[in-house]
Amino acid sequence: SAGSNSQFIIAAALFLSNSAHDGGGMFTGIKTLRVSDTLFKDNTATTAGGAVFLSSDSISVSATFSNCSLVHNYAGNSGGAI
């Protein structure tokens, strides 16, 4: 399990046709998130964050997305993409 000071790096990944309550493609509470050269496509969340949901209940979250594509993601209430 990652600690509250953890950094997570994702590069050259595909998040395709996933679904969840929050964060259809990805749900994370990692303190520092860096995503590059990644495609989020056709992901669905029933509530929020169709592609990505950044949870920050007890920590400050920093997220950087570089050269990423977010295509046809959907959320029922808010944040179709993030």
Side-chain angles (χ1 to χ4, degrees):
S1 119
S4 63
N5 291 322
S6 297
Q7 176 175 306
F8 195 67
I9 300 170
I10 297 171
L14 300 172
F15 291 84
L16 306 173
S17 301
N18 298 290
S19 62
H21 180 72
D22 289 317
M26 175 194 315
F27 180 102
T28 183
I30 295 292
K31 182 175 174 75
T32 304
L33 174 66
R34 300 189 194 291
V35 183
S36 64
D37 304 309
T38 294
L39 172 64
F40 294 86
K41 183 177 180 186
D42 297 325
N43 298 290
T44 303
T46 55
T47 304
V52 178
F53 186 90
L54 302 171
S55 176
S56 60
D57 289 341
S58 61
I59 59 170
S60 175
V61 175
S62 171
T64 303
F65 293 84
S66 303
N67 198 36
C68 294
S69 295
L70 298 107
V71 180
H72 298 126
N73 297 286
Y74 172 81
N77 289 330
S78 61
I82 299 174

